[in-house]
Amino acid sequence: MKDPAIGEILVQQDDLAHRVRTLGEQISLDYVGRSLLLVGVLKGAVFFLSDLMRCLDVPCEVDFMAVASYGSQTDSSGVVRILKDLDAPIEGRDVLIVEDIVDSGLTLSYLLRTLKARDPATLEVCALLTKPERRKVELPIRYVGFEIPNRFAIGYGLDHCEGFRNLPYVAVLADEEQWPSPFGARSGEQTREVRGVPGLGARPT
Ligand code: IMP
Ligand code: MG
């Protein structure tokens, strides 16, 4: 039986596969003759990144960052702490940040600032999903998979309390009020502790 927390499907498995292939072709054309460093933002982007990377026919490498953003439980404040940094310098590299979803944009805005300061040759963003209605900062997102409405999404890497990342499609979290808040406590309630980052309301992105 289907888990009752899984609501309406926003992006079907076939549409994901097709769009990822198209993005891969576009990126391969744009970077022809160069080699690319994909920077995946843990954990959600891992699934999209691994599919996307297999659709690229330019030489590429992969590295990962993990960040936690502070603020209320459902809204990031833009104050971000790096939990895991890149393994290697990016100076002079063609870097493509790969994100699962851009919501307010504050996390990505911080990442762009931080990575730009390390002098890459180029720095662009590929996001599988964006929620334009939620955007607080305008960002140059060069490649976008799908725009989705302002609903809490799960699947294909996106989690609710660490669950549902393995769904092969993207769905809405059904009846959002019924389940514990996506990021722990509801906004205004107590904060939760995330992996050794005490009491600051950090949520891993
Ligand atoms: P932002 O700083 O508000 O743009 O936060 C972006 C991060 O929040 C994403 O990388 C996701 O990890 C997480 N996030 C935002 N919206 C959703 C959602 O609908 N489902 C699951 N995670 C989300
Ligand atoms: Mg993320």
Side-chain angles (χ1 to χ4, degrees):
M1 202 188 80
K2 196 178 90 162
D3 189 318
I6 304 170
E8 169 200 343
I9 293 185
L10 289 173
V11 191
Q12 296 282 359
Q13 184 170 5
D14 285 355
D15 296 326
L16 284 168
H18 184 261
R19 186 74 187 120
V20 171
R21 261 200 311 279
T22 308
L23 285 170
E25 285 164 9
Q26 197 183 336
I27 294 167
S28 300
L29 278 177
D30 291 348
Y31 288 87
V32 79
R34 291 187 279 167
S35 66
L36 198 50
L37 176 66
L38 302 177
V39 170
V41 186
L42 293 172
K43 305 173 191 169
V46 165
F47 303 73
F48 171 45
L49 185 148
S50 69
D51 285 342
L52 179 69
M53 197 167 177
R54 283 173 285 179
C55 296
L56 296 180
D57 60 14
V58 289
C60 52
E61 293 172 29
V62 65
D63 204 345
F64 293 98
M65 284 185 89
V67 295
S69 43
Y70 302 115
S72 74
Q73 299 300 317
T74 50
D75 286 293
S76 78
S77 63
V79 182
V80 172
R81 169 168 148 153
I82 295 177
L83 301 178
K84 185 228 170 284
D85 206 338
L86 297 174
D87 290 339
I90 57 169
E91 191 180 344
R93 304 290 308 265
D94 289 303
V95 176
L96 182 64
I97 299 177
V98 180
E99 254 289 29
D100 50 1
I101 185 166
V102 183
D103 186 33
S104 68
L106 292 168
T107 306
L108 189 55
S109 155
Y110 171 86
L111 279 176
L112 281 166
R113 275 199 311 278
T114 304
L115 296 186
K116 202 163 192 91
R118 300 181 191 182
D119 284 328
T122 61
L123 182 62
E124 303 288 351
V125 178
C126 178
L128 177 68
L129 304 169
T130 76
K131 289 184 198 169
E133 285 171 59
R134 295 262 304 171
R135 197 60 42 78
K136 287 188 183 156
V137 277
E138 274 322 303
L139 291 169
I141 307 180
R142 176 125 177 222
Y143 308 99
V144 174
F146 299 90
E147 292 190 349
I148 62 166
N150 182 13
R151 305 285 302 278
F152 194 81
I154 52 175
Y156 198 63
L158 297 166
D159 74 304
H160 171 254
C161 299
E162 293 299 322
F164 306 109
R165 293 193 197 273
N166 59 316
L167 297 177
Y169 48 79
V170 176
V172 161
L173 179 70
D175 201 1
E176 288 167 41
E177 294 305 315
Q178 191 185 326
W179 315 103
S181 156
F183 303 125
R186 282 277 165 209
S187 180
E189 295 176 12
Q190 94 272 12
T191 58
R192 72 170 176 161
E193 296 186 3
V194 180
R195 288 202 306 265
V197 184
L200 285 166
R203 60 184 168 83
T205 62

Short mmCIF file of all heavy atoms in Angstrom, two decimals, residues 162-187:
data_model
loop_
_atom_site.label_atom_id
_atom_site.label_comp_id
_atom_site.label_asym_id
_atom_site.label_seq_id
_atom_site.Cartn_x
_atom_site.Cartn_y
_atom_site.Cartn_z
N GLU A 162 14.32 12.98 6.71
CA GLU A 162 15.27 11.99 6.16
C GLU A 162 14.61 10.86 5.37
O GLU A 162 15.31 10.05 4.77
CB GLU A 162 16.20 11.40 7.23
CG GLU A 162 17.18 12.42 7.82
CD GLU A 162 18.12 13.02 6.76
OE1 GLU A 162 18.57 12.29 5.86
OE2 GLU A 162 18.41 14.23 6.84
N GLY A 163 13.29 10.81 5.34
CA GLY A 163 12.62 9.75 4.60
C GLY A 163 12.26 10.18 3.18
O GLY A 163 12.33 11.38 2.85
N PHE A 164 11.89 9.23 2.38
CA PHE A 164 11.33 9.42 1.03
C PHE A 164 12.33 9.81 -0.05
O PHE A 164 11.94 10.05 -1.18
CB PHE A 164 10.18 10.45 1.02
CG PHE A 164 9.08 10.14 1.99
CD1 PHE A 164 8.91 10.91 3.13
CD2 PHE A 164 8.24 9.06 1.78
CE1 PHE A 164 7.90 10.62 4.05
CE2 PHE A 164 7.22 8.76 2.68
CZ PHE A 164 7.05 9.55 3.82
N ARG A 165 13.61 9.91 0.30
CA ARG A 165 14.58 10.31 -0.73
C ARG A 165 14.59 9.33 -1.89
O ARG A 165 14.93 9.68 -3.02
CB ARG A 165 16.00 10.38 -0.14
CG ARG A 165 16.21 11.47 0.89
CD ARG A 165 17.71 11.64 1.16
NE ARG A 165 17.99 12.35 2.39
CZ ARG A 165 18.08 13.67 2.52
NH1 ARG A 165 17.88 14.44 1.48
NH2 ARG A 165 18.36 14.22 3.69
N ASN A 166 14.26 8.07 -1.60
CA ASN A 166 14.36 7.01 -2.60
C ASN A 166 13.19 6.94 -3.56
O ASN A 166 13.22 6.13 -4.50
CB ASN A 166 14.53 5.66 -1.91
CG ASN A 166 13.36 5.36 -0.98
OD1 ASN A 166 12.92 6.25 -0.24
ND2 ASN A 166 12.85 4.16 -1.02
N LEU A 167 12.15 7.74 -3.37
CA LEU A 167 11.06 7.69 -4.34
C LEU A 167 11.60 8.05 -5.72
O LEU A 167 12.37 9.00 -5.85
CB LEU A 167 9.96 8.70 -3.97
CG LEU A 167 9.22 8.49 -2.65
CD1 LEU A 167 8.22 9.63 -2.44
CD2 LEU A 167 8.54 7.14 -2.64
N PRO A 168 11.17 7.33 -6.76
CA PRO A 168 11.73 7.61 -8.09
C PRO A 168 11.08 8.81 -8.78
O PRO A 168 11.42 9.13 -9.91
CB PRO A 168 11.46 6.31 -8.85
CG PRO A 168 10.29 5.70 -8.17
CD PRO A 168 10.34 6.13 -6.73
N TYR A 169 10.10 9.44 -8.12
CA TYR A 169 9.41 10.62 -8.66
C TYR A 169 9.41 11.69 -7.57
O TYR A 169 9.81 11.42 -6.43
CB TYR A 169 7.97 10.26 -9.06
CG TYR A 169 7.23 9.49 -7.99
CD1 TYR A 169 6.69 10.13 -6.88
CD2 TYR A 169 7.13 8.09 -8.06
CE1 TYR A 169 6.05 9.41 -5.88
CE2 TYR A 169 6.48 7.37 -7.05
CZ TYR A 169 5.95 8.03 -5.97
OH TYR A 169 5.32 7.33 -4.96
N VAL A 170 8.95 12.90 -7.94
CA VAL A 170 8.81 13.97 -6.94
C VAL A 170 7.33 14.14 -6.65
O VAL A 170 6.53 14.30 -7.58
CB VAL A 170 9.41 15.31 -7.46
CG1 VAL A 170 9.16 16.43 -6.45
CG2 VAL A 170 10.90 15.15 -7.74
N ALA A 171 6.98 14.08 -5.37
CA ALA A 171 5.57 14.21 -4.97
C ALA A 171 5.44 15.29 -3.89
O ALA A 171 6.43 15.74 -3.32
CB ALA A 171 5.06 12.87 -4.42
N VAL A 172 4.20 15.66 -3.65
CA VAL A 172 3.92 16.58 -2.55
C VAL A 172 3.82 15.75 -1.27
O VAL A 172 3.36 14.60 -1.31
CB VAL A 172 2.57 17.28 -2.84
CG1 VAL A 172 1.97 17.88 -1.60
CG2 VAL A 172 2.74 18.33 -3.92
N LEU A 173 4.28 16.30 -0.16
CA LEU A 173 4.04 15.66 1.13
C LEU A 173 2.55 15.85 1.45
O LEU A 173 2.09 16.99 1.59
CB LEU A 173 4.90 16.31 2.21
CG LEU A 173 4.72 15.74 3.61
CD1 LEU A 173 5.29 14.32 3.70
CD2 LEU A 173 5.39 16.64 4.64
N ALA A 174 1.82 14.75 1.53
CA ALA A 174 0.36 14.84 1.66
C ALA A 174 -0.03 15.45 2.99
O ALA A 174 0.60 15.15 4.01
CB ALA A 174 -0.26 13.45 1.53
N ASP A 175 -1.01 16.29 2.97
CA ASP A 175 -1.62 16.79 4.18
C ASP A 175 -0.54 17.25 5.18
O ASP A 175 -0.41 16.72 6.27
CB ASP A 175 -2.47 15.66 4.80
CG ASP A 175 -3.51 16.22 5.76
OD1 ASP A 175 -3.55 17.45 5.89
OD2 ASP A 175 -4.25 15.42 6.36
N GLU A 176 0.21 18.26 4.75
CA GLU A 176 1.42 18.66 5.46
C GLU A 176 1.23 18.85 6.97
O GLU A 176 2.12 18.56 7.76
CB GLU A 176 1.99 19.95 4.84
CG GLU A 176 2.60 19.67 3.48
CD GLU A 176 2.89 20.93 2.66
OE1 GLU A 176 3.35 21.90 3.26
OE2 GLU A 176 2.64 20.91 1.46
N GLU A 177 0.06 19.33 7.37
CA GLU A 177 -0.18 19.60 8.79
C GLU A 177 -0.18 18.31 9.63
O GLU A 177 0.08 18.33 10.83
CB GLU A 177 -1.53 20.30 8.99
CG GLU A 177 -1.59 21.70 8.40
CD GLU A 177 -0.47 22.60 8.91
OE1 GLU A 177 -0.23 22.60 10.14
OE2 GLU A 177 0.16 23.29 8.10
N GLN A 178 -0.47 17.20 8.97
CA GLN A 178 -0.64 15.95 9.70
C GLN A 178 0.68 15.34 10.17
O GLN A 178 0.73 14.59 11.13
CB GLN A 178 -1.36 14.96 8.77
CG GLN A 178 -1.84 13.72 9.44
CD GLN A 178 -2.42 12.77 8.39
OE1 GLN A 178 -3.00 13.19 7.41
NE2 GLN A 178 -2.22 11.49 8.60
N TRP A 179 1.75 15.66 9.48
CA TRP A 179 3.04 15.04 9.76
C TRP A 179 3.90 16.00 10.56
O TRP A 179 3.68 17.20 10.52
CB TRP A 179 3.75 14.66 8.46
CG TRP A 179 2.81 14.00 7.52
CD1 TRP A 179 2.23 14.56 6.42
CD2 TRP A 179 2.27 12.68 7.63
NE1 TRP A 179 1.38 13.68 5.82
CE2 TRP A 179 1.37 12.51 6.55
CE3 TRP A 179 2.45 11.63 8.52
CZ2 TRP A 179 0.68 11.34 6.34
CZ3 TRP A 179 1.74 10.45 8.30
CH2 TRP A 179 0.88 10.31 7.23
N PRO A 180 4.88 15.48 11.27
CA PRO A 180 5.81 16.39 11.94
C PRO A 180 6.40 17.33 10.90
O PRO A 180 6.54 16.95 9.74
CB PRO A 180 6.89 15.45 12.50
CG PRO A 180 6.29 14.09 12.48
CD PRO A 180 5.25 14.06 11.41
N SER A 181 6.69 18.56 11.31
CA SER A 181 7.17 19.57 10.38
C SER A 181 8.39 19.08 9.59
O SER A 181 9.23 18.36 10.11
CB SER A 181 7.54 20.81 11.16
OG SER A 181 8.48 21.56 10.45
N PRO A 182 8.46 19.46 8.33
CA PRO A 182 9.57 19.05 7.48
C PRO A 182 10.93 19.25 8.12
O PRO A 182 11.82 18.44 7.95
CB PRO A 182 9.44 19.96 6.27
CG PRO A 182 8.02 20.39 6.24
CD PRO A 182 7.50 20.30 7.64
N PHE A 183 11.10 20.32 8.84
CA PHE A 183 12.43 20.62 9.38
C PHE A 183 12.44 20.48 10.90
O PHE A 183 13.18 21.15 11.59
CB PHE A 183 12.88 22.00 8.96
CG PHE A 183 12.90 22.17 7.47
CD1 PHE A 183 12.22 23.20 6.87
CD2 PHE A 183 13.60 21.28 6.67
CE1 PHE A 183 12.23 23.34 5.49
CE2 PHE A 183 13.62 21.41 5.30
CZ PHE A 183 12.93 22.44 4.71
N GLY A 184 11.59 19.60 11.47
CA GLY A 184 11.57 19.42 12.91
C GLY A 184 10.38 20.17 13.47
O GLY A 184 9.27 20.02 12.99
N ALA A 185 10.62 21.03 14.46
CA ALA A 185 9.51 21.75 15.09
C ALA A 185 8.94 22.79 14.12
O ALA A 185 9.60 23.24 13.22
CB ALA A 185 10.02 22.46 16.34
N ARG A 186 7.68 23.14 14.35
CA ARG A 186 7.07 24.22 13.57
C ARG A 186 7.76 25.54 13.86
O ARG A 186 8.29 25.75 14.94
CB ARG A 186 5.59 24.35 13.94
CG ARG A 186 4.74 23.30 13.30
CD ARG A 186 4.38 23.71 11.87
NE ARG A 186 3.87 22.55 11.15
CZ ARG A 186 3.99 22.40 9.85
NH1 ARG A 186 4.61 23.28 9.12
NH2 ARG A 186 3.51 21.35 9.26
N SER A 187 7.71 26.42 12.91
CA SER A 187 8.28 27.75 13.08
C SER A 187 7.80 28.37 14.39
O SER A 187 6.63 28.30 14.72
CB SER A 187 7.83 28.59 11.90
OG SER A 187 8.34 29.85 11.99
#
